[in-house]
Amino acid sequence: MNCRAVKKNLSALLDGELSERERALYLSHLKHCSECRTIYEQLLLLHEAAAVPEELPAGLEERIFRSVLRDGEPARPTRRRRLWPATVALGAAMGLVLCFWAVRGLPAGSEMTPEAQRNGMAEASLFSQEDAVREKNAAPFADMAGQAERELTGEYDRVYSVELETDESLKPAEDAGFVLELTVEDRNYLVGDASLISQLPYRGFAGAGEQLPGECLLVLITEE
Amino acid sequence: MTEERAAAGADMELVRAAAEGDSGAFELLVRRYAGQVYRIALRVCGNPADAEDVAQEVFLKLCRSLNRFQGESSFHTFLYRVTTNAALDFLRGRKRRETVPLEAEGNGPLAVLPDPDAPPEEQLERRELQRAVRRGIAKLPAGQRTALALRELEGLSYAEIAAVLGLSEGTVKSRIARGRERLRVILEREGTFFSGRPSNEKEGGERG
């Protein structure tokens, strides 16, 4: 057993992640190899020091609890609500974008804006309102969650979709932050956090961004 | 182990009560988990103010999601997942808005492993080491910091960490190994390991 292979697994040994057989092999290597043993001892030392929890700032729990009381409330049993998505329509449409988003547990009191109600865009839904996304099991979302570099948090209650007309095709900015381009079943998706949308240079969406509920994941499909 | 399960069972009672609107139950949940959430956020974000902002956001999200938990494992997974994601999101936000170097400023008061029998010099050494380790952790890439926080602070297995972060176990294993090695090299260069503590005092003991 060479030192190079051993060094790669010292953490796994320390964390108890090796099989009995591997563990025995590694320990016997450490008995005879002072270089690997020294490194192991150092890792152990660091692990023990890192495992010591930091002291908490005074009043932390109070402040957290009070901020939740202020800005939220314990969730009530969910009632299924229809939420008409915000829509923006601009002049001559050059690009047609199908936009849908999954919403998690809307804060109480989030309303549909009158403008959105007035617009009354046809709602082209990819998913019916009721059997919308459940947990992460709806097909495109499960795939996306699998493909996303970071897990897209949470489990989504429902998905809404709308057709938007924009006058330019959508492209994510270089530094758009949490925007991922994914291809699922031959369709291209841009996935991002709706709360960041004001930072995305999509002219057609500047208006929509202000009207979207705070916490939702925005999924844009760019149609060919 | 039965104690843990009893505690976990009691948590689900709290979650259910809170979901019904019992704010006292929710307050108990905050008291029980605020520390864990804060500490993970602290390791990922690197400073106490951001960690507290993240913790507030996590509990807000928890508050809105109370009615969706089937059991204690989904509750704990949710909490870890939301915490790590919120902390990582926070970091991304920071990078966009300002160039604040991510350095731990000592992270406030330290909790010292109580050991009244240890001579004062050793206690001081331990505290110094903890400080050095935290400074070193702050220099690691965010992904390594996150995996390490879950391993060191919460004692999660590689499989559990993989489930929380949505990564493969192999990725978790390599992030932890690389993170620790990088940390070790940082501290070695700082002279941490030449503290005069004889190396044969620490046996290369295995952890259960």
mmCIF file of all heavy atoms in Angstrom, chain A residues 9 11 15 17 41-42 47 50 52-54 62-63 73 75-76 150-151 155 177 199 215, chain B residues 19 31 39 43 52 63-64 67-68 81 85 92 96 111 134 151-152 158 173 180 184 187 202:
data_model
loop_
_atom_site.group_PDB
_atom_site.id
_atom_site.type_symbol
_atom_site.label_atom_id
_atom_site.label_comp_id
_atom_site.label_asym_id
_atom_site.label_seq_id
_atom_site.Cartn_x
_atom_site.Cartn_y
_atom_site.Cartn_z
ATOM 1 N N ASN A 9 -6.842 8.813 1.684
ATOM 2 C CA ASN A 9 -7.923 8.240 2.480
ATOM 3 C C ASN A 9 -7.816 8.490 3.970
ATOM 4 O O ASN A 9 -8.587 7.916 4.737
ATOM 5 C CB ASN A 9 -7.993 6.731 2.230
ATOM 6 C CG ASN A 9 -8.630 6.425 0.890
ATOM 7 O OD1 ASN A 9 -9.838 6.532 0.736
ATOM 8 N ND2 ASN A 9 -7.810 6.091 -0.075
ATOM 9 N N SER A 11 -8.556 11.106 5.673
ATOM 10 C CA SER A 11 -9.777 11.709 6.212
ATOM 11 C C SER A 11 -10.877 10.680 6.370
ATOM 12 O O SER A 11 -11.597 10.664 7.362
ATOM 13 C CB SER A 11 -10.264 12.841 5.292
ATOM 14 O OG SER A 11 -9.691 14.056 5.666
ATOM 15 N N ASP A 15 -12.799 9.719 9.751
ATOM 16 C CA ASP A 15 -14.242 9.886 9.865
ATOM 17 C C ASP A 15 -14.982 8.574 9.972
ATOM 18 O O ASP A 15 -16.219 8.546 9.960
ATOM 19 C CB ASP A 15 -14.779 10.671 8.648
ATOM 20 C CG ASP A 15 -14.297 12.115 8.641
ATOM 21 O OD1 ASP A 15 -14.164 12.689 9.729
ATOM 22 O OD2 ASP A 15 -14.058 12.656 7.539
ATOM 23 N N GLU A 17 -15.184 6.153 7.788
ATOM 24 C CA GLU A 17 -15.917 5.855 6.562
ATOM 25 C C GLU A 17 -15.323 4.678 5.781
ATOM 26 O O GLU A 17 -15.798 4.349 4.699
ATOM 27 C CB GLU A 17 -15.941 7.102 5.657
ATOM 28 C CG GLU A 17 -16.681 8.275 6.258
ATOM 29 C CD GLU A 17 -18.186 8.215 6.034
ATOM 30 O OE1 GLU A 17 -18.629 7.490 5.113
ATOM 31 O OE2 GLU A 17 -18.931 8.890 6.766
ATOM 32 N N GLU A 41 -1.991 12.310 12.426
ATOM 33 C CA GLU A 41 -2.110 12.927 13.745
ATOM 34 C C GLU A 41 -2.460 14.404 13.636
ATOM 35 O O GLU A 41 -3.256 14.931 14.423
ATOM 36 C CB GLU A 41 -0.808 12.743 14.534
ATOM 37 C CG GLU A 41 -0.578 11.301 14.963
ATOM 38 C CD GLU A 41 0.809 11.086 15.545
ATOM 39 O OE1 GLU A 41 1.627 12.034 15.531
ATOM 40 O OE2 GLU A 41 1.080 9.962 16.016
ATOM 41 N N GLN A 42 -1.863 15.058 12.642
ATOM 42 C CA GLN A 42 -2.178 16.467 12.445
ATOM 43 C C GLN A 42 -3.642 16.641 12.035
ATOM 44 O O GLN A 42 -4.343 17.532 12.536
ATOM 45 C CB GLN A 42 -1.241 17.073 11.391
ATOM 46 C CG GLN A 42 0.188 17.174 11.878
ATOM 47 C CD GLN A 42 1.155 17.645 10.791
ATOM 48 O OE1 GLN A 42 0.815 17.657 9.605
ATOM 49 N NE2 GLN A 42 2.352 18.031 11.187
ATOM 50 N N HIS A 47 -9.161 18.156 13.299
ATOM 51 C CA HIS A 47 -10.551 17.722 13.376
ATOM 52 C C HIS A 47 -11.128 17.997 14.761
ATOM 53 O O HIS A 47 -12.239 18.516 14.905
ATOM 54 C CB HIS A 47 -10.636 16.233 13.052
ATOM 55 C CG HIS A 47 -11.945 15.606 13.392
ATOM 56 N ND1 HIS A 47 -13.104 15.892 12.706
ATOM 57 C CD2 HIS A 47 -12.286 14.734 14.353
ATOM 58 C CE1 HIS A 47 -14.101 15.194 13.225
ATOM 59 N NE2 HIS A 47 -13.637 14.487 14.229
ATOM 60 N N ALA A 50 -11.615 21.672 15.172
ATOM 61 C CA ALA A 50 -12.702 22.186 14.341
ATOM 62 C C ALA A 50 -14.064 21.754 14.874
ATOM 63 O O ALA A 50 -15.073 22.408 14.613
ATOM 64 C CB ALA A 50 -12.539 21.694 12.902
ATOM 65 N N VAL A 52 -15.024 21.769 17.875
ATOM 66 C CA VAL A 52 -15.475 22.573 19.008
ATOM 67 C C VAL A 52 -16.403 23.670 18.498
ATOM 68 O O VAL A 52 -16.015 24.470 17.648
ATOM 69 C CB VAL A 52 -14.270 23.211 19.739
ATOM 70 C CG1 VAL A 52 -14.756 24.134 20.840
ATOM 71 C CG2 VAL A 52 -13.367 22.128 20.293
ATOM 72 N N PRO A 53 -17.613 23.705 19.005
ATOM 73 C CA PRO A 53 -18.556 24.694 18.471
ATOM 74 C C PRO A 53 -18.250 26.095 18.992
ATOM 75 O O PRO A 53 -17.794 26.257 20.116
ATOM 76 C CB PRO A 53 -19.916 24.212 19.001
ATOM 77 C CG PRO A 53 -19.609 23.370 20.178
ATOM 78 C CD PRO A 53 -18.233 22.842 20.029
ATOM 79 N N GLU A 54 -18.503 27.087 18.175
ATOM 80 C CA GLU A 54 -18.314 28.465 18.594
ATOM 81 C C GLU A 54 -19.378 28.847 19.618
ATOM 82 O O GLU A 54 -20.488 28.303 19.607
ATOM 83 C CB GLU A 54 -18.449 29.421 17.391
ATOM 84 C CG GLU A 54 -17.319 29.333 16.387
ATOM 85 C CD GLU A 54 -17.569 28.263 15.330
ATOM 86 O OE1 GLU A 54 -18.408 27.370 15.561
ATOM 87 O OE2 GLU A 54 -16.915 28.328 14.279
ATOM 88 N N GLU A 62 -33.454 35.038 20.755
ATOM 89 C CA GLU A 62 -34.466 36.086 20.878
ATOM 90 C C GLU A 62 -34.659 36.811 19.559
ATOM 91 O O GLU A 62 -35.767 37.005 19.078
ATOM 92 C CB GLU A 62 -34.012 37.133 21.904
ATOM 93 C CG GLU A 62 -34.059 36.694 23.337
ATOM 94 C CD GLU A 62 -35.447 36.292 23.736
ATOM 95 O OE1 GLU A 62 -36.404 37.019 23.360
ATOM 96 O OE2 GLU A 62 -35.593 35.245 24.361
ATOM 97 N N ARG A 63 -33.527 37.261 19.037
ATOM 98 C CA ARG A 63 -33.588 38.091 17.830
ATOM 99 C C ARG A 63 -34.190 37.310 16.670
ATOM 100 O O ARG A 63 -35.003 37.839 15.900
ATOM 101 C CB ARG A 63 -32.197 38.603 17.458
ATOM 102 C CG ARG A 63 -31.675 39.665 18.412
ATOM 103 C CD ARG A 63 -30.450 40.365 17.857
ATOM 104 N NE ARG A 63 -29.290 39.494 17.761
ATOM 105 C CZ ARG A 63 -28.474 39.229 18.767
ATOM 106 N NH1 ARG A 63 -28.717 39.738 19.953
ATOM 107 N NH2 ARG A 63 -27.432 38.442 18.601
ATOM 108 N N GLU A 73 -45.284 34.127 9.820
ATOM 109 C CA GLU A 73 -46.117 33.556 10.874
ATOM 110 C C GLU A 73 -46.104 32.045 10.675
ATOM 111 O O GLU A 73 -45.904 31.575 9.561
ATOM 112 C CB GLU A 73 -47.519 34.107 10.806
ATOM 113 C CG GLU A 73 -48.103 34.025 9.409
ATOM 114 C CD GLU A 73 -49.360 34.855 9.278
ATOM 115 O OE1 GLU A 73 -49.229 36.074 9.134
ATOM 116 O OE2 GLU A 73 -50.426 34.270 9.332
ATOM 117 N N ALA A 75 -46.896 28.655 9.643
ATOM 118 C CA ALA A 75 -47.710 28.321 8.474
ATOM 119 C C ALA A 75 -49.022 27.693 8.907
ATOM 120 O O ALA A 75 -49.070 26.928 9.858
ATOM 121 C CB ALA A 75 -46.941 27.360 7.580
ATOM 122 N N ARG A 76 -50.033 28.052 8.215
ATOM 123 C CA ARG A 76 -51.315 27.385 8.455
ATOM 124 C C ARG A 76 -51.408 26.219 7.491
ATOM 125 O O ARG A 76 -50.707 26.173 6.502
ATOM 126 C CB ARG A 76 -52.455 28.364 8.200
ATOM 127 C CG ARG A 76 -52.299 29.587 9.050
ATOM 128 C CD ARG A 76 -53.616 30.127 9.545
ATOM 129 N NE ARG A 76 -53.350 31.340 10.313
ATOM 130 C CZ ARG A 76 -53.102 32.514 9.746
ATOM 131 N NH1 ARG A 76 -53.133 32.633 8.436
ATOM 132 N NH2 ARG A 76 -52.835 33.570 10.488
ATOM 133 N N ARG A 150 -25.755 23.117 -7.570
ATOM 134 C CA ARG A 150 -26.164 23.169 -6.188
ATOM 135 C C ARG A 150 -27.587 22.721 -6.156
ATOM 136 O O ARG A 150 -28.322 22.960 -7.079
ATOM 137 C CB ARG A 150 -26.131 24.608 -5.702
ATOM 138 C CG ARG A 150 -24.877 25.057 -5.029
ATOM 139 C CD ARG A 150 -25.125 26.463 -4.523
ATOM 140 N NE ARG A 150 -26.295 26.548 -3.699
ATOM 141 C CZ ARG A 150 -27.370 27.274 -3.944
ATOM 142 N NH1 ARG A 150 -27.434 27.975 -5.032
ATOM 143 N NH2 ARG A 150 -28.388 27.308 -3.134
ATOM 144 N N GLU A 151 -27.981 22.148 -5.066
ATOM 145 C CA GLU A 151 -29.379 21.758 -5.014
ATOM 146 C C GLU A 151 -30.265 22.985 -4.986
ATOM 147 O O GLU A 151 -30.027 23.929 -4.261
ATOM 148 C CB GLU A 151 -29.633 20.912 -3.782
ATOM 149 C CG GLU A 151 -31.077 20.507 -3.705
ATOM 150 C CD GLU A 151 -31.266 19.302 -2.836
ATOM 151 O OE1 GLU A 151 -30.338 18.988 -2.080
ATOM 152 O OE2 GLU A 151 -32.321 18.703 -2.932
ATOM 153 N N GLU A 155 -39.113 22.270 -1.678
ATOM 154 C CA GLU A 155 -40.080 21.449 -2.379
ATOM 155 C C GLU A 155 -41.195 22.377 -2.787
ATOM 156 O O GLU A 155 -41.621 23.230 -2.047
ATOM 157 C CB GLU A 155 -40.561 20.361 -1.416
ATOM 158 C CG GLU A 155 -39.404 19.438 -1.065
ATOM 159 C CD GLU A 155 -39.220 19.240 0.435
ATOM 160 O OE1 GLU A 155 -39.911 19.878 1.217
ATOM 161 O OE2 GLU A 155 -38.370 18.436 0.806
ATOM 162 N N GLY A 177 -25.181 35.654 -11.639
ATOM 163 C CA GLY A 177 -25.278 34.976 -10.355
ATOM 164 C C GLY A 177 -26.020 33.670 -10.490
ATOM 165 O O GLY A 177 -25.709 32.854 -11.336
ATOM 166 N N GLN A 199 -31.640 41.890 -11.140
ATOM 167 C CA GLN A 199 -30.257 41.981 -11.584
ATOM 168 C C GLN A 199 -30.041 41.363 -12.949
ATOM 169 O O GLN A 199 -28.971 41.423 -13.513
ATOM 170 C CB GLN A 199 -29.351 41.290 -10.579
ATOM 171 C CG GLN A 199 -29.453 41.936 -9.205
ATOM 172 C CD GLN A 199 -28.600 41.209 -8.211
ATOM 173 O OE1 GLN A 199 -27.583 40.661 -8.588
ATOM 174 N NE2 GLN A 199 -29.027 41.169 -6.964
ATOM 175 N N GLU A 215 -40.447 34.716 -2.795
ATOM 176 C CA GLU A 215 -39.662 33.477 -2.770
ATOM 177 C C GLU A 215 -40.112 32.509 -3.818
ATOM 178 O O GLU A 215 -40.911 31.645 -3.563
ATOM 179 C CB GLU A 215 -39.838 32.779 -1.426
ATOM 180 C CG GLU A 215 -39.019 33.380 -0.366
ATOM 181 C CD GLU A 215 -38.788 32.361 0.746
ATOM 182 O OE1 GLU A 215 -39.225 31.206 0.619
ATOM 183 O OE2 GLU A 215 -38.196 32.780 1.738
ATOM 184 N N ALA B 19 -46.927 24.049 13.371
ATOM 185 C CA ALA B 19 -47.656 24.103 12.099
ATOM 186 C C ALA B 19 -49.124 24.470 12.326
ATOM 187 O O ALA B 19 -49.769 25.052 11.454
ATOM 188 C CB ALA B 19 -47.553 22.766 11.370
ATOM 189 N N ARG B 31 -35.144 27.880 19.777
ATOM 190 C CA ARG B 31 -34.148 27.700 20.837
ATOM 191 C C ARG B 31 -33.348 26.427 20.627
ATOM 192 O O ARG B 31 -32.156 26.386 20.867
ATOM 193 C CB ARG B 31 -34.832 27.653 22.206
ATOM 194 C CG ARG B 31 -35.439 28.979 22.564
ATOM 195 C CD ARG B 31 -35.754 29.116 24.031
ATOM 196 N NE ARG B 31 -36.432 30.383 24.245
ATOM 197 C CZ ARG B 31 -35.854 31.586 24.220
ATOM 198 N NH1 ARG B 31 -34.551 31.674 24.006
ATOM 199 N NH2 ARG B 31 -36.553 32.677 24.401
ATOM 200 N N ARG B 39 -24.070 28.251 13.687
ATOM 201 C CA ARG B 39 -22.670 27.816 13.588
ATOM 202 C C ARG B 39 -22.314 27.330 12.193
ATOM 203 O O ARG B 39 -21.213 27.576 11.709
ATOM 204 C CB ARG B 39 -22.388 26.724 14.613
ATOM 205 C CG ARG B 39 -22.271 27.292 16.007
ATOM 206 C CD ARG B 39 -22.222 26.195 17.032
ATOM 207 N NE ARG B 39 -22.114 26.761 18.358
ATOM 208 C CZ ARG B 39 -22.875 26.408 19.377
ATOM 209 N NH1 ARG B 39 -23.796 25.487 19.223
ATOM 210 N NH2 ARG B 39 -22.710 26.976 20.556
ATOM 211 N N ARG B 43 -19.465 29.137 9.741
ATOM 212 C CA ARG B 43 -18.329 28.499 9.075
ATOM 213 C C ARG B 43 -18.352 28.760 7.581
ATOM 214 O O ARG B 43 -17.327 28.873 6.934
ATOM 215 C CB ARG B 43 -18.342 26.985 9.308
ATOM 216 C CG ARG B 43 -18.128 26.574 10.736
ATOM 217 C CD ARG B 43 -16.673 26.289 11.061
ATOM 218 N NE ARG B 43 -16.495 26.146 12.498
ATOM 219 C CZ ARG B 43 -16.209 25.008 13.119
ATOM 220 N NH1 ARG B 43 -16.068 23.908 12.422
ATOM 221 N NH2 ARG B 43 -16.063 24.985 14.432
ATOM 222 N N GLU B 52 -25.794 35.525 11.337
ATOM 223 C CA GLU B 52 -27.067 35.790 12.001
ATOM 224 C C GLU B 52 -28.152 36.135 10.980
ATOM 225 O O GLU B 52 -29.305 35.703 11.113
ATOM 226 C CB GLU B 52 -26.916 36.913 13.031
ATOM 227 C CG GLU B 52 -28.147 36.998 13.904
ATOM 228 C CD GLU B 52 -27.934 37.756 15.194
ATOM 229 O OE1 GLU B 52 -26.799 37.764 15.709
ATOM 230 O OE2 GLU B 52 -28.931 38.323 15.676
ATOM 231 N N CYS B 63 -40.489 28.514 9.115
ATOM 232 C CA CYS B 63 -41.826 28.904 9.563
ATOM 233 C C CYS B 63 -42.854 28.697 8.463
ATOM 234 O O CYS B 63 -43.973 28.253 8.709
ATOM 235 C CB CYS B 63 -41.772 30.372 9.985
ATOM 236 S SG CYS B 63 -43.335 31.040 10.501
ATOM 237 N N ARG B 64 -42.459 28.986 7.229
ATOM 238 C CA ARG B 64 -43.405 28.875 6.129
ATOM 239 C C ARG B 64 -43.558 27.451 5.619
ATOM 240 O O ARG B 64 -44.393 27.189 4.780
ATOM 241 C CB ARG B 64 -42.954 29.762 4.970
ATOM 242 C CG ARG B 64 -43.037 31.210 5.314
ATOM 243 C CD ARG B 64 -42.396 32.049 4.228
ATOM 244 N NE ARG B 64 -42.337 33.439 4.631
ATOM 245 C CZ ARG B 64 -41.479 34.315 4.163
ATOM 246 N NH1 ARG B 64 -40.593 33.947 3.258
ATOM 247 N NH2 ARG B 64 -41.503 35.554 4.585
ATOM 248 N N ASN B 67 -45.664 22.714 7.608
ATOM 249 C CA ASN B 67 -46.669 21.664 7.422
ATOM 250 C C ASN B 67 -46.248 20.604 6.412
ATOM 251 O O ASN B 67 -47.034 19.783 6.010
ATOM 252 C CB ASN B 67 -48.002 22.284 7.010
ATOM 253 C CG ASN B 67 -47.782 23.344 5.945
ATOM 254 O OD1 ASN B 67 -46.859 23.248 5.139
ATOM 255 N ND2 ASN B 67 -48.603 24.360 5.961
ATOM 256 N N ARG B 68 -45.004 20.636 6.003
ATOM 257 C CA ARG B 68 -44.639 19.671 4.973
ATOM 258 C C ARG B 68 -43.751 18.528 5.465
ATOM 259 O O ARG B 68 -43.304 17.704 4.692
ATOM 260 C CB ARG B 68 -43.924 20.378 3.824
ATOM 261 C CG ARG B 68 -42.533 20.842 4.152
ATOM 262 C CD ARG B 68 -41.776 21.047 2.861
ATOM 263 N NE ARG B 68 -42.484 21.971 1.997
ATOM 264 C CZ ARG B 68 -42.035 23.158 1.622
ATOM 265 N NH1 ARG B 68 -40.877 23.567 2.045
ATOM 266 N NH2 ARG B 68 -42.742 23.930 0.820
ATOM 267 N N ARG B 81 -30.161 21.627 4.769
ATOM 268 C CA ARG B 81 -30.144 22.018 3.359
ATOM 269 C C ARG B 81 -30.421 23.506 3.203
ATOM 270 O O ARG B 81 -29.710 24.217 2.506
ATOM 271 C CB ARG B 81 -31.189 21.200 2.614
ATOM 272 C CG ARG B 81 -31.012 21.158 1.131
ATOM 273 C CD ARG B 81 -32.036 20.245 0.524
ATOM 274 N NE ARG B 81 -31.632 18.854 0.565
ATOM 275 C CZ ARG B 81 -32.495 17.835 0.476
ATOM 276 N NH1 ARG B 81 -33.780 18.064 0.394
ATOM 277 N NH2 ARG B 81 -32.050 16.612 0.484
ATOM 278 N N ASN B 85 -27.678 26.189 1.850
ATOM 279 C CA ASN B 85 -28.023 26.947 0.648
ATOM 280 C C ASN B 85 -28.140 28.436 0.930
ATOM 281 O O ASN B 85 -27.666 29.256 0.146
ATOM 282 C CB ASN B 85 -29.333 26.428 0.051
ATOM 283 C CG ASN B 85 -29.122 25.139 -0.711
ATOM 284 O OD1 ASN B 85 -28.025 24.882 -1.184
ATOM 285 N ND2 ASN B 85 -30.156 24.343 -0.825
ATOM 286 N N ARG B 92 -22.703 34.411 -2.414
ATOM 287 C CA ARG B 92 -22.790 34.867 -3.804
ATOM 288 C C ARG B 92 -23.259 36.307 -3.862
ATOM 289 O O ARG B 92 -22.754 37.102 -4.644
ATOM 290 C CB ARG B 92 -23.790 34.018 -4.572
ATOM 291 C CG ARG B 92 -23.256 32.715 -5.049
ATOM 292 C CD ARG B 92 -24.368 31.944 -5.709
ATOM 293 N NE ARG B 92 -24.342 30.563 -5.263
ATOM 294 C CZ ARG B 92 -23.934 29.558 -6.026
ATOM 295 N NH1 ARG B 92 -23.552 29.774 -7.242
ATOM 296 N NH2 ARG B 92 -23.939 28.337 -5.563
ATOM 297 N N ARG B 96 -21.220 39.762 -5.359
ATOM 298 C CA ARG B 96 -21.698 40.681 -6.381
ATOM 299 C C ARG B 96 -21.693 42.113 -5.877
ATOM 300 O O ARG B 96 -21.437 43.037 -6.614
ATOM 301 C CB ARG B 96 -23.118 40.311 -6.797
ATOM 302 C CG ARG B 96 -23.185 39.411 -7.990
ATOM 303 C CD ARG B 96 -24.586 39.456 -8.541
ATOM 304 N NE ARG B 96 -25.549 39.096 -7.511
ATOM 305 C CZ ARG B 96 -25.875 37.850 -7.231
ATOM 306 N NH1 ARG B 96 -25.328 36.867 -7.889
ATOM 307 N NH2 ARG B 96 -26.747 37.590 -6.282
ATOM 308 N N ALA B 111 -15.683 28.823 22.426
ATOM 309 C CA ALA B 111 -16.050 27.855 23.454
ATOM 310 C C ALA B 111 -14.857 26.930 23.622
ATOM 311 O O ALA B 111 -14.346 26.386 22.664
ATOM 312 C CB ALA B 111 -17.280 27.076 23.023
ATOM 313 N N ARG B 134 -10.048 28.022 12.806
ATOM 314 C CA ARG B 134 -11.168 28.781 12.234
ATOM 315 C C ARG B 134 -10.697 29.779 11.203
ATOM 316 O O ARG B 134 -11.361 29.995 10.181
ATOM 317 C CB ARG B 134 -11.961 29.463 13.344
ATOM 318 C CG ARG B 134 -12.795 28.458 14.100
ATOM 319 C CD ARG B 134 -13.410 29.016 15.333
ATOM 320 N NE ARG B 134 -13.868 27.912 16.189
ATOM 321 C CZ ARG B 134 -14.112 28.028 17.468
ATOM 322 N NH1 ARG B 134 -13.949 29.193 18.048
ATOM 323 N NH2 ARG B 134 -14.519 26.991 18.171
ATOM 324 N N ARG B 151 -19.604 18.025 8.623
ATOM 325 C CA ARG B 151 -18.878 16.892 9.206
ATOM 326 C C ARG B 151 -18.424 17.213 10.622
ATOM 327 O O ARG B 151 -18.619 16.457 11.547
ATOM 328 C CB ARG B 151 -17.682 16.556 8.317
ATOM 329 C CG ARG B 151 -16.787 15.469 8.839
ATOM 330 C CD ARG B 151 -17.285 14.051 8.559
ATOM 331 N NE ARG B 151 -18.083 13.474 9.607
ATOM 332 C CZ ARG B 151 -17.601 12.916 10.734
ATOM 333 N NH1 ARG B 151 -16.314 12.891 10.955
ATOM 334 N NH2 ARG B 151 -18.416 12.408 11.613
ATOM 335 N N GLU B 152 -17.772 18.372 10.806
ATOM 336 C CA GLU B 152 -17.151 18.677 12.089
ATOM 337 C C GLU B 152 -18.167 19.139 13.120
ATOM 338 O O GLU B 152 -18.128 18.739 14.276
ATOM 339 C CB GLU B 152 -16.083 19.775 11.944
ATOM 340 C CG GLU B 152 -15.114 19.623 10.786
ATOM 341 C CD GLU B 152 -14.054 18.567 11.034
ATOM 342 O OE1 GLU B 152 -14.252 17.727 11.925
ATOM 343 O OE2 GLU B 152 -13.039 18.587 10.333
ATOM 344 N N TYR B 158 -20.634 10.884 5.516
ATOM 345 C CA TYR B 158 -20.472 11.325 4.135
ATOM 346 C C TYR B 158 -21.773 11.157 3.354
ATOM 347 O O TYR B 158 -22.146 12.013 2.554
ATOM 348 C CB TYR B 158 -19.351 10.532 3.434
ATOM 349 C CG TYR B 158 -17.963 10.834 3.931
ATOM 350 C CD1 TYR B 158 -17.736 11.659 5.030
ATOM 351 C CD2 TYR B 158 -16.842 10.287 3.310
ATOM 352 C CE1 TYR B 158 -16.459 11.922 5.487
ATOM 353 C CE2 TYR B 158 -15.557 10.550 3.755
ATOM 354 C CZ TYR B 158 -15.366 11.362 4.846
ATOM 355 O OH TYR B 158 -14.082 11.613 5.286
ATOM 356 N N LYS B 173 -16.464 13.107 -0.130
ATOM 357 C CA LYS B 173 -15.207 12.557 0.391
ATOM 358 C C LYS B 173 -14.023 13.395 -0.078
ATOM 359 O O LYS B 173 -13.136 13.732 0.701
ATOM 360 C CB LYS B 173 -15.058 11.118 -0.078
ATOM 361 C CG LYS B 173 -13.761 10.459 0.357
ATOM 362 C CD LYS B 173 -13.667 9.017 -0.136
ATOM 363 C CE LYS B 173 -12.243 8.508 0.151
ATOM 364 N NZ LYS B 173 -12.023 7.160 -0.349
ATOM 365 N N ARG B 180 -9.361 19.401 4.385
ATOM 366 C CA ARG B 180 -8.517 19.156 5.546
ATOM 367 C C ARG B 180 -7.041 19.251 5.182
ATOM 368 O O ARG B 180 -6.249 19.788 5.957
ATOM 369 C CB ARG B 180 -8.803 17.769 6.127
ATOM 370 C CG ARG B 180 -10.093 17.693 6.905
ATOM 371 C CD ARG B 180 -10.008 16.639 7.967
ATOM 372 N NE ARG B 180 -11.282 16.491 8.667
ATOM 373 C CZ ARG B 180 -12.017 15.396 8.649
ATOM 374 N NH1 ARG B 180 -11.613 14.341 7.947
ATOM 375 N NH2 ARG B 180 -13.140 15.339 9.336
ATOM 376 N N ARG B 184 -4.454 21.757 6.740
ATOM 377 C CA ARG B 184 -3.259 21.253 7.393
ATOM 378 C C ARG B 184 -2.021 21.985 6.881
ATOM 379 O O ARG B 184 -1.159 22.396 7.659
ATOM 380 C CB ARG B 184 -3.122 19.744 7.145
ATOM 381 C CG ARG B 184 -2.061 19.058 7.982
ATOM 382 C CD ARG B 184 -1.875 17.615 7.540
ATOM 383 N NE ARG B 184 -1.251 17.537 6.221
ATOM 384 C CZ ARG B 184 0.038 17.667 5.993
ATOM 385 N NH1 ARG B 184 0.865 17.899 7.003
ATOM 386 N NH2 ARG B 184 0.508 17.591 4.774
ATOM 387 N N LEU B 187 -1.887 25.566 8.211
ATOM 388 C CA LEU B 187 -1.457 25.636 9.605
ATOM 389 C C LEU B 187 -0.017 25.198 9.780
ATOM 390 O O LEU B 187 0.702 25.713 10.637
ATOM 391 C CB LEU B 187 -2.394 24.790 10.483
ATOM 392 C CG LEU B 187 -3.514 25.589 11.162
ATOM 393 C CD1 LEU B 187 -4.345 26.353 10.146
ATOM 394 C CD2 LEU B 187 -4.395 24.696 11.987
ATOM 395 N N LYS B 202 0.039 12.171 20.990
ATOM 396 C CA LYS B 202 -1.236 11.973 20.329
ATOM 397 C C LYS B 202 -1.163 10.674 19.543
ATOM 398 O O LYS B 202 -0.455 10.584 18.567
ATOM 399 C CB LYS B 202 -1.537 13.125 19.374
ATOM 400 C CG LYS B 202 -2.192 14.282 20.051
ATOM 401 C CD LYS B 202 -3.618 14.461 19.494
ATOM 402 C CE LYS B 202 -4.356 15.519 20.280
ATOM 403 N NZ LYS B 202 -5.266 14.963 21.252
#
